[in-house]
Amino acid sequence: MPSRFIFSLRFSSKVMMKLAKLSLAMVLFMSLFRLNLFLLSTLSKIQMLNFLEVLHSFGAGIRFDLLVFGFLLLPIYFILMIQAFFEKWPNWMFVIYKVYFGAVWLIISLLTYVDFFHYAHHGRRMRFAEYSNWSPEFTWEQMRSLPQNQNWVFTVITLVLLILGYMLIKAVNFGQWKDEYSPQKGSKFEMALRIVVPLLLIVLAARGTVEPHHLALEHSLVSDSTSLNEMALNAVWCFDK
């Protein structure tokens, strides 16, 4: 019945909002990773510090981070729409969403950690060619040639952000869809908004721009410094490049 469907659709919006907030928190954590990269490595590689260029690099970095989560949220959006249509909200699906985000955050943290030592040596992010030839011994050799305090600081920061991410994931409470019952039966306009607006926002995040061409390497070129330009990228985006 339409009245039941609108309740289910409203709940799907509620679930999507919680996952979107979780994604934004992780984007913030990725910015903190980038801040530590700047303080521990990039700053020493820049010949002339331009504060405006640094801000532009961080701003571009947020766009690349949002792009990652735009792609990650896209399949969840369609699953939520299917659940809303069939009015099926089993608790085990909420566990799957949490496991999904947990796996995603672990991968992001590990790639960022490994990438840090490559960047510290070469002033650029790892690409697919480097990942293809990667081994634990390769990173270990890079770590040994860097100051120990630098290694320890980034290692601790990575563990702290990894744990904080898992704490946020664990704390998410999706509730029950039947709690959305209300006298307001909803209109076709409300249904359209709840279906179309989240999709538009996710696609916009995944594209990273409103321009005809999606976010690309040239959008990270904010300075004459290669190291500062590379800092704007993230390890996940660079993985298949």
Side-chain angles (χ1 to χ4, degrees):
M1 295 176 61
S3 59
R4 285 177 56 88
F5 174 68
I6 189 60
F7 298 144
S8 184
L9 186 59
R10 286 171 182 165
F11 184 68
S12 73
S13 298
K14 182 177 179 180
V15 173
M16 178 56 74
M17 182 61 69
K18 288 180 180 291
L19 294 178
K21 289 180 179 178
L22 183 59
S23 299
L24 290 176
M26 290 182 172
V27 167
L28 173 61
F29 291 164
M30 292 177 75
S31 293
L32 293 178
F33 272 128
R34 188 172 287 106
L35 176 60
N36 279 275
L37 181 68
F38 173 74
L39 295 175
L40 293 173
S41 183
T42 309
L43 189 58
S44 63
K45 300 179 187 302
I46 300 176
Q47 294 181 349
M48 294 185 61
L49 180 63
N50 185 315
F51 186 68
L52 189 59
E53 289 182 351
V54 173
L55 286 180
H56 285 164
S57 181
F58 276 97
I62 291 174
R63 294 172 66 186
F64 280 96
D65 298 342
L66 285 172
L67 180 150
V68 170
F69 280 93
F71 276 102
L72 293 171
L73 285 173
L74 197 57
I76 290 183
Y77 166 82
F78 289 108
I79 294 173
L80 287 175
M81 287 299 102
I82 292 173
Q83 287 188 262
F85 180 80
F86 288 104
E87 301 170 12
K88 300 294 184 182
W89 297 100
N91 289 330
W92 56 266
M93 282 300 298
F94 301 139
V95 175
I96 289 179
Y97 293 145
K98 289 190 175 185
V99 170
Y100 176 73
F101 268 84
V104 162
W105 186 235
L106 177 62
I107 292 171
I108 290 175
S109 298
L110 289 177
L111 288 178
T112 303
Y113 184 72
V114 170
D115 174 77
F116 169 77
F117 301 103
H118 181 275
Y119 179 93
H121 278 277
H122 303 287
R124 63 186 297 273
R125 300 280 190 177
M126 291 180 69
R127 299 303 199 270
F128 184 74
E130 286 84 15
Y131 283 111
S132 298
N133 298 316
W134 179 84
S135 66
E137 292 76 15
F138 179 71
T139 296
W140 177 245
E141 288 300 321
Q142 291 178 330
M143 293 175 68
R144 290 178 60 184
S145 60
L146 291 176
Q148 286 301 308
N149 63 328
Q150 196 171 347
N151 295 334
W152 278 110
V153 169
F154 199 78
T155 298
V156 171
I157 290 296
T158 301
L159 289 174
V160 169
L161 292 178
L162 179 63
I163 292 170
L164 285 176
Y166 278 119
M167 288 174 64
L168 286 179
I169 294 169
K170 184 179 179 181
V172 175
N173 182 12
F174 295 103
Q176 297 294 325
W177 81 278
K178 292 183 179 180
D179 295 339
E180 301 302 312
Y181 282 172
S182 74
Q184 299 178 358
K185 295 183 179 298
S187 62
K188 291 182 179 179
F189 180 70
E190 180 188 351
M191 293 182 187
L193 283 179
R194 292 184 180 277
I195 293 173
V196 175
V197 171
L199 180 60
L200 289 178
L201 292 176
I202 291 172
V203 170
L204 179 61
R207 285 182 52 80
T209 178
V210 295
E211 299 172 2
H213 300 288
H214 60 77
L215 201 66
L217 183 62
E218 57 265 26
H219 292 95
S220 68
L221 304 179
V222 299
S223 167
D224 292 331
S225 169
T226 301
S227 298
L228 196 57
N229 294 335
E230 288 284 313
M231 189 185 77
L233 306 173
N234 61 59
V236 180
W237 188 87
C238 292
F239 183 78
D240 65 342
K241 298 299 183 288

